[in-house]
Amino acid sequence: MSEQHKPVIGISIGDMNGIGPEVILKAVGGNRLNRICTPVIYGSGKIINRYRQMLELKDWQFFTIQKIDQINHKQVNVINCMNDQNLELQPGKVTPEAGKLAFESLKRAVADLKAGKLDALVTAPINKHNIQSDEFKFPGHTEYLASEFEVEDVLMFMVSDTLKIGVATGHVPIEQVKQKINKELIIKKIEQIHTSLKRDFGVQRPRIAVLGLNPHAGENGLLGNEEKEIIQPALTELKKKGTLVFGPFPADGFFGTAAWKQYNAVLAMYHDQGLMPFKMLAFENGVNFTAALPKVRTSPDHGTAYDIAGKNEADESSMIHAIYTAVDVAKNRAELSELEANSLKKKNIVLKEASMED
């Protein structure tokens, strides 16, 4: 693949005192990913260099730039997003400076993503408390990105090669889940999963399983009516449109019997119902993918892990898979766009020829 055709992948540094910088460097160290993409780390050359020394990656070099237009496609690039003099690295500590850098790096990366200068964005873990400011008042990355791209509703889609789980309600207190579940929401989330499987992952005829909200999927109304009154009617409506959707299934039996292996994706009703089994079954290679965004964004499926930050103990597997997934989805979308453009071009030619014959 020629240099100019390699996807340019932005990577926001996340909380510099967590394991984000460590897993980033372990993932891109030695320029191992330069064959398939051009990585651009948004953060701080000073902080990246400190971690490079701590991890003893002394033979690995990076290219420091001030803006995306200066990238070197043969190296890993680092964009300084703050004045390095104001940054003091304290692995394992929650500091205001770390929150400030996390936001500045995210803001710069999103601006370049919106401008079309990045093919995808990979976000390292943030601390949802120290990043809060007048500019960032969101529960997490997903909500911030939805706001920046002016998308009313996106999907938190946890993906791996073998298991993909979307959630109907994301970062929502458990007491509010029941209030937010409705037929329209279920239909929208299933349609988002269906579209993403086809557009982003190349699944031609997606089979989607849906979990119930209540224990035993409501036990025919004995343990709750949401399955009968909300979820099942939504599935019935989608089936009439030809969507291959199944359920609602009791979550415990569904995962306990490995029934999930029969489907391309699963819709869970709330955060922990979906993420708990996902992290048990796919933690090392799991990726958080934000579906229904106009641009590609992925993230490793772990947090800041302050307890092991700076100790050279963090596993970079999820970060590597997040980068690979970003590259694959960006390529799939580009290929689909090209196919659609060629199809439209051929259609216009046929219509033009037909009109000339008339």
Side-chain angles (χ1 to χ4, degrees), residues 46-93:
K46 174 183 175 181
I47 298 302
I48 293 298
N49 195 48
R50 285 286 305 280
Y51 273 102
R52 185 177 67 88
Q53 294 170 352
M54 290 166 59
L55 300 174
E56 298 185 350
L57 297 172
K58 297 176 182 178
D59 294 331
W60 173 70
Q61 302 296 322
F62 58 89
F63 189 63
T64 304
I65 57 179
Q66 298 305 315
K67 56 183 180 178
I68 191 69
D69 299 330
Q70 301 169 333
I71 60 173
N72 183 334
H73 287 282
K74 295 182 179 180
Q75 289 186 279
V76 174
N77 301 265
V78 176
I79 293 181
N80 283 317
C81 300
M82 277 182 63
N83 185 342
D84 282 344
Q85 302 303 317
N86 298 327
L87 298 175
E88 181 182 354
L89 185 63
Q90 300 182 63
K93 304 293 183 181

Side-chain angles (χ1 to χ4, degrees), residues 28 194 351:
V28 304
H194 190 270
L351 290 173

